[in-house]
Amino acid sequence: MSFQSSDKLLWLCLGVSIFFAVRGIATDLRRVRDLTEIKHVEKEDKMISEGTEDVLKLDTLLKLSESTSYDLRAAALRIISERATKGQTRDLLLDDLASEDHKRRSKALNAMWFLVSNRALSRTSVCVRLKDLPTYTAIVDCLCNFLEEHTEETCTTVSPILPKTRPLGEKKALGILNAILQEDIPAALEAGVLSRWLTKYPFPCALAEPSRRQDVVILMKSWWTDDPVMSSIFGTLSSHPDGTKQLRKHGLMGSMMEENDDDDVDSDVWMIDGEDTAGSSRYSGRRVREGTAEEQAVRRRRREAMVLSDGGHPLGNEDIIQHPLQSS
């Protein structure tokens, strides 16, 4: 009996020891896990809370915008931008943008360019407030005011799409329009981007003799490197059905038949200083249709011919397949 009692006591002590050993090991492992865990401590107190944004004065925000802290600068600029696109402040900004006063317009252009081009503001409600009809109307008014300033040469580039008399401030206005145009093309068309502005724009190809006004869209694609921003604006307008209709309506884009008729139009040819070889006109006009109807049919038949060859011998007349010439 004493032997059995000692065995039970031994097993009891062994079980208790194992229990406490397991508890101790588990506690140590949890402690190691807690010590090695990387914690992301969230700041409970914001530097500029939403409750204090509305009471901050502009002078204070200007000082914060010059802070060495990136977060403070970003927060201050965001608050200033949101205030500039709300209520009466926004109306004053658009009025200055459409103003004929050069100083007011210049300041408004700088402000608008900052608001539409700053990536930090793209995630806020600032950009949304600048994509409506009043904004497009103010921008078109601004661009129309620049039309009267095309008087002195500001560049020497010889191009069918870039006027030499473009005012210095017009490029920034074009950039603003290009940045927001694709957001609401119908609103921009309603504001008169085509009917009030582009129809009166002094494109060199439209002012030349003979005029190539209806080839403006085609020339924008061929000569886009001369004026990338204006070419982008035309590309956006021509990609929208309503934009295409108005481009054709106002004579800045030819009909589909004319665009596809390569036999009649040399849209990608523009002579520069070629009076000695190409006549007095600096712009290549449309090809003159020569020959009788039968000769034109022969030329069209040759364009539609197919050449089939396995490459084992030089090409000959037997490899050319043409539609039969129909006699009238």
Side-chain angles (χ1 to χ4, degrees):
M1 292 294 293
S2 60
F3 178 75
Q4 293 180 353
S5 299
S6 61
D7 287 344
K8 291 180 179 179
L9 182 60
L10 178 62
W11 283 109
L12 178 62
C13 293
L14 182 61
V16 172
S17 300
I18 293 175
F19 173 76
F20 283 106
V22 171
R23 290 288 301 273
I25 293 173
T27 302
D28 292 338
L29 290 176
R30 282 194 294 268
R31 185 178 301 173
V32 171
R33 183 192 63 185
D34 295 338
L35 292 175
T36 57
E37 182 181 5
I38 300 176
K39 297 181 179 180
H40 299 280
V41 180
E42 298 182 358
K43 297 181 180 180
E44 297 180 358
D45 298 331
K46 296 182 179 180
M47 288 177 295
I48 301 179
S49 62
E50 296 180 358
T52 60
E53 289 183 0
D54 296 334
V55 298
L56 288 175
K57 295 182 179 180
L58 184 59
D59 294 339
T60 304
L61 291 173
L62 290 176
K63 292 181 180 179
L64 291 175
S65 65
E66 299 174 355
S67 172
T68 56
S69 172
Y70 172 80
D71 293 332
L72 280 176
R73 291 199 310 271
L77 290 175
R78 177 182 58 81
I79 296 173
I80 294 174
S81 301
E82 289 182 351
R83 288 186 183 181
T85 55
K86 288 182 180 179
Q88 187 177 3
T89 307
R90 175 180 179 272
D91 296 337
L92 292 175
L93 175 62
L94 297 182
D95 289 342
D96 288 348
L97 184 63
S99 174
E100 296 181 358
D101 184 87
H102 289 198
K103 292 183 178 180
R104 291 174 56 191
R105 184 178 62 194
S106 178
K107 292 181 179 179
L109 282 172
N110 291 333
M112 283 290 294
W113 176 248
F114 171 78
L115 293 173
V116 302
S117 63
N118 194 306
R119 294 184 178 181
L121 300 177
S122 60
R123 301 177 182 177
T124 64
S125 59
V126 172
C127 294
V128 179
R129 300 174 188 151
L130 297 176
K131 298 174 183 177
D132 55 0
L133 181 59
T135 303
Y136 288 112
T137 302
I139 295 175
V140 172
D141 290 340
C142 175
L143 291 168
C144 289
N145 291 333
F146 276 117
L147 292 176
E148 301 177 358
E149 300 179 17
H150 280 261
T151 55
E152 299 180 359
E153 289 192 4
T154 57
C155 68
T156 58
T157 303
V158 180
S159 170
I161 62 174
L162 176 62
K164 294 183 178 181
T165 57
R166 171 170 290 175
L168 298 179
E170 187 182 70
K171 186 175 182 180
K172 186 168 292 185
L174 291 174
I176 295 171
L177 176 62
N178 185 45
I180 66 174
L181 178 60
Q182 59 184 351
E183 300 297 334
D184 196 346
I185 297 178
L189 295 173
E190 184 179 353
V193 66
L194 270 167
S195 59
R196 296 171 50 209
W197 173 52
L198 286 177
T199 54
K200 302 176 182 178
Y201 198 80
F203 296 108
C205 61
L207 300 177
E209 291 295 339
S211 176
R212 296 192 61 185
R213 179 182 177 84
Q214 64 179 358
D215 295 333
V216 170
V217 175
I218 299 176
L219 291 172
M220 284 290 172
K221 297 178 181 179
S222 303
W223 294 77
W224 67 271
T225 53
D226 290 351
D227 197 354
V229 180
M230 181 67 82
S231 299
S232 177
I233 292 174
F234 267 87
T236 303
L237 291 173
S238 60
S239 65
H240 194 276
D242 294 338
T244 303
K245 290 180 182 178
Q246 287 207 23
L247 284 169
R248 290 197 172 103
K249 176 182 177 181
H250 295 289
L252 296 175
M253 185 177 185
S255 63
M256 295 180 64
M257 183 177 298
E258 291 176 343
E259 292 171 11
N260 296 328
D261 192 356
D262 295 333
D263 187 42
D264 294 335
V265 182
D266 284 336
S267 61
D268 57 345
V269 178
W270 189 58
M271 302 299 295
I272 299 178
D273 297 333
E275 289 83 356
D276 296 338
T277 58
S280 59
S281 175
R282 301 177 66 185
Y283 300 91
S284 62
R286 300 184 179 277
R287 295 180 184 174
V288 180
R289 296 185 179 181
E290 299 177 351
T292 63
E294 183 178 354
E295 292 175 348
Q296 294 180 13
V298 171
R299 289 198 297 269
R300 186 176 298 276
R301 176 170 169 261
R302 290 174 179 173
R303 289 199 305 271
E304 296 175 353
M306 293 186 300
V307 178
L308 299 178
S309 175
D310 56 4
H313 60 279
L315 293 177
N317 292 332
E318 64 275 7
D319 298 318
I320 301 176
I321 301 176
Q322 296 180 340
H323 291 294
L325 184 61
Q326 297 179 356
S327 59
S328 55

